Amino acid sequence: MNVHMAFISGTQRELLEAVSQLGYANPFLPERVRLERAVLGSEFVAGEPVWSYRAEQPGPRENVWRIQTRVEPLLEKLRARLAGGGQARPQDLMLYEDAVLQLLYTRYYPRFYDAGQDARSSSSARWSFYTNFLADWRHFFGIDGVRFPTGHDARHTFACFRQIQRAFDQIFRDIIGSSMPAARLRAAIWQSVFTHDMRRYRRTLYARMGEFATLITGPSGTGKELVARAVAESRYVPFDDQRLAFASDDADSFFPINISALSPTLVESELFGHRRGAFTGAVADRKGWLESCPELGSVFLDELGDLDPAIQVKLLRVIETRTFHPVGDTAGRQFRGKLITATNRDLAASIRKGQFREDLYYRLCSDQVATPSLAEQLANSPAVLGELVLYMAQRVAGPEGDELAREVMRWIGANLGPEYAWPGNYRELEQCVKNVLIRRNYRPAGAGPADAVEEFVEDARAGRLTAGELLARYVTVVYSRTGSYEETARRLGLDRRTVKAKVNTALLKKLHGRR
């Protein structure tokens, strides 16, 4: 018993238990930051309550590297004890295993990231650092006489590390905002990829997640396709340690179809494929996305609520049997990939109206992600607007992005104000940024001309005003500039009483609100 206690002291065990929890925590919830603090104690660098992308610090936070610095010496000390014949209980060995995995992931994260960005080098050159990884692996786990309880495999762990790095970067960089609704969305995507139990995922579920459909719901313009891409491009890909290559190319993993943009016939053809002559215009055989999608890929059906009832029946069969038939063909085909769907509709209401099949809904809802509106984010954290504007401005204006962001925020403050609801969500905000870049103006949908003077000119040019309306609106426009009945009367050559009678109070408020 004393030998066992000597292997890990009480203080060391507390540290390793916190590291173990940290390694399997959802990185996008407040729990992650709490566990970082538990590991680092007084060395913890305080910051945001959740991990979110910041343009001024786009990479992992400083605490990540501080944890590595603190854990590495301890692990080397424990390894030396094991190599020297020290005995450890299974639970202590598991803590050692978890800490080594955390250390190796942090150590090799930059290498994984750089290799993923390098599209020009050969696969074997990009992933050649596996040999270094394997040497470190054997250093910590290849200890004579020590049998570790979990029995991790180096090749599988290398593939898991690449998946974790890819998923983290995809979610972290594409789902923006420091608000809790945005944090919950990032965390939900993480669970769609890894489930809530990463230990179970690593053991068995990594090979089965393609069997579960993912349904993404939320208002238009809230980034449902970004969510779909994040899930699709974060799937587990096996690693071949002989060829030093992963089993598939990340670029060939996402096959999107926008149902609302196509007729039912074209949707069916895009999804299932067709044989030559199956319908007018089918001049050659064509593979659909279900057939083209590889086992590690994903088919994304956007605007699912618009799917034709007849195609809903066919899609239900695909989910139930993983088989389908191209249009005009009797031979069955196999769908091997993952299905991801999205809709802004209330599917429960569509089911009640008989517009959407209930049995199909229950085949699609095993994994659900809900995207929050921009208004929800801003209600939780108004500062998110500035974060999003800066992010979008840097994307559209490059080195001019910071100045553009300040210009956009000034324009929004002067013309829309903090209470504007952004009904078009993130898509509308992005168009606002682009409009201000090009015209230093933005016209919200349904708001009519951005300026009451423009509206007056348009109506006058189109001949939509009577003589009386023309005079009243022109008088009001001039009065809004002078603020004086006398000066307006002088400029227009009219009597002061006429000017006062002609001023349109509602139009005047609109003019003042746009100045």
Side-chain angles (χ1 to χ4, degrees):
M1 185 65 176
N2 290 335
V3 174
H4 289 161
M5 290 300 293
F7 178 69
I8 300 179
S9 70
T11 303
Q12 290 171 340
R13 182 174 288 105
E14 287 181 10
L15 171 62
L16 293 180
E17 284 174 349
V19 171
S20 176
Q21 293 179 56
L22 180 67
Y24 292 95
N26 191 316
F28 298 111
L29 290 177
E31 173 192 19
R32 162 80 198 197
V33 178
R34 178 181 61 79
L35 288 169
E36 286 181 351
R37 186 187 295 274
V39 172
L40 291 174
S42 61
E43 297 178 29
F44 175 79
V45 178
E48 296 174 309
V50 294
W51 273 29
S52 64
Y53 179 90
R54 296 204 306 269
E56 70 276 12
Q57 188 180 355
R61 302 297 182 256
E62 182 179 349
N63 288 322
V64 171
W65 315 117
R66 286 175 173 250
I67 290 170
Q68 178 184 11
T69 301
R70 180 162 191 198
V71 170
E72 188 168 359
L74 173 58
L75 289 176
E76 290 291 358
K77 187 180 298 184
L78 296 178
R79 182 204 170 276
R81 291 178 188 171
L82 290 172
Q87 299 297 305
R89 293 173 296 188
Q91 55 265 45
D92 289 343
L93 289 177
M94 286 190 67
L95 291 176
Y96 172 85
E97 284 182 312
D98 288 348
V100 169
L101 293 180
Q102 178 75 8
L103 171 67
L104 292 182
Y105 176 74
T106 306
R107 179 180 292 177
Y108 283 93
Y109 168 84
R111 304 284 294 272
F112 279 109
Y113 180 82
D114 291 343
Q117 300 297 307
D118 183 5
R120 294 177 296 179
S121 301
S122 66
S123 180
S124 59
R126 291 164 63 196
W127 307 110
S128 62
F129 67 89
Y130 177 74
T131 56
N132 304 98
F133 173 84
L134 191 59
D136 283 346
W137 182 272
R138 289 169 175 163
H139 173 73
F140 285 108
F141 291 130
I143 303 172
D144 291 340
V146 180
R147 183 169 183 173
F148 291 97
T150 306
H152 294 293
D153 173 74
R155 179 181 58 181
H156 173 53
T157 302
F158 190 80
C160 286
F161 281 2
R162 166 60 176 154
Q163 182 189 16
I164 292 168
Q165 172 267 313
R166 191 173 68 246
F168 177 84
D169 287 319
Q170 184 91 15
I171 298 168
F172 182 69
R173 285 174 169 78
D174 284 353
I175 311 300
I176 306 300
S178 59
S179 69
M180 282 309 300
R184 286 192 290 268
L185 176 58
R186 289 190 289 270
I189 300 170
W190 187 262
Q191 283 194 347
S192 288
V193 176
F194 298 107
T195 79
H196 73 95
D197 186 344
M198 285 194 69
R199 294 181 188 272
R200 181 191 295 156
Y201 176 85
R202 185 197 63 215
R203 290 194 301 266
T204 57
L205 292 182
Y206 69 90
R208 308 195 62 176
M209 292 305 292
E211 300 171 14
F212 299 94
T214 296
L215 173 62
I216 306 164
T217 59
S220 293
T222 53
K224 293 189 290 295
E225 183 168 344
L226 281 177
V227 173
R229 281 189 178 275
V231 173
E233 295 176 4
S234 299
R235 297 190 61 195
Y236 176 89
V237 180
F239 181 71
D240 186 333
D241 58 355
Q242 299 302 309
R243 296 189 303 111
L244 295 180
F246 282 91
S248 74
D249 186 342
D250 297 347
D252 299 326
S253 62
F254 191 65
F255 301 83
I257 303 174
N258 189 320
I259 293 169
S260 66
L262 302 172
S263 68
T265 299
L266 288 177
V267 169
E268 190 173 21
S269 175
E270 285 288 312
L271 193 55
F272 300 100
H274 63 253
R275 293 295 301 273
R276 182 168 63 90
F279 53 85
T280 302
V283 297
D285 291 352
R286 184 187 186 283
K287 284 186 178 182
W289 280 153
L290 290 177
E291 187 173 356
S292 299
C293 179
E295 183 177 358
L296 300 175
S298 302
V299 170
F300 173 51
L301 303 183
D302 199 6
E303 306 296 350
L304 176 73
D306 294 337
L307 193 63
D308 183 84
I311 304 178
Q312 291 181 33
V313 176
K314 286 192 168 188
L315 186 61
L316 179 63
R317 177 176 175 80
V318 172
I319 298 171
E320 290 178 333
T321 68
R322 306 290 287 183
T323 61
F324 65 95
H325 293 81
V327 180
D329 197 347
T330 57
R333 304 284 195 278
Q334 192 80 19
F335 173 53
R336 299 173 296 153
K338 180 181 176 70
L339 184 65
I340 305 174
T341 60
T343 182
N344 61 4
R345 293 198 179 185
D346 181 346
L347 290 184
S350 296
I351 290 170
R352 290 192 296 270
K353 295 176 183 177
Q355 298 169 344
F356 197 84
R357 295 182 63 97
E358 186 175 27
D359 49 2
L360 176 58
Y361 171 77
Y362 285 116
R363 294 297 189 279
L364 294 172
C365 68
S366 57
D367 173 36
Q368 295 188 61
V369 178
T371 56
S373 68
L374 179 53
E376 286 179 69
Q377 275 222 61
L378 297 181
N380 178 265
S381 176
V384 165
L385 183 64
E387 297 172 13
L388 292 170
V389 167
L390 177 59
Y391 175 75
M392 293 172 180
Q394 289 179 338
R395 288 179 61 186
V396 301
E400 299 285 337
D402 291 5
E403 177 56 35
L404 173 61
R406 288 190 286 271
E407 185 178 342
V408 171
M409 290 301 292
R410 285 194 298 268
W411 190 93
I412 290 174
N415 295 275
L416 298 178
E419 302 303 319
Y420 183 64
W422 297 102
N425 293 294
Y426 311 100
R427 188 179 297 141
E428 180 185 3
L429 180 60
E430 186 173 29
Q431 294 312 310
C432 175
V433 171
K434 291 178 179 178
N435 274 249
V436 173
L437 168 67
I438 296 170
R439 301 184 183 280
R440 204 169 63 181
N441 201 2
Y442 168 64
R443 181 179 301 180
D451 181 297
V453 175
E454 290 181 23
E455 184 178 11
F456 167 57
V457 172
E458 288 178 12
D459 287 344
R461 184 182 293 118
R464 291 190 287 261
L465 303 175
T466 65
E469 290 170 337
L470 182 65
L471 178 59
R473 287 172 69 170
Y474 185 48
V475 166
T476 306
V477 168
V478 176
Y479 177 73
S480 73
R481 299 294 193 269
T482 65
S484 164
Y485 294 127
E486 289 80 2
E487 178 60 20
T488 301
R490 187 191 68 77
R491 290 189 184 187
L492 300 183
L494 295 173
D495 182 82
R496 178 186 181 282
R497 288 172 296 180
T498 301
V499 169
K500 188 173 182 179
K502 291 294 183 182
V503 168
N504 183 314
T505 305
L507 176 57
L508 186 63
K509 288 181 179 178
K510 189 174 181 181
L511 287 163
H512 284 163
R514 293 293 181 185
R515 287 180 64 184

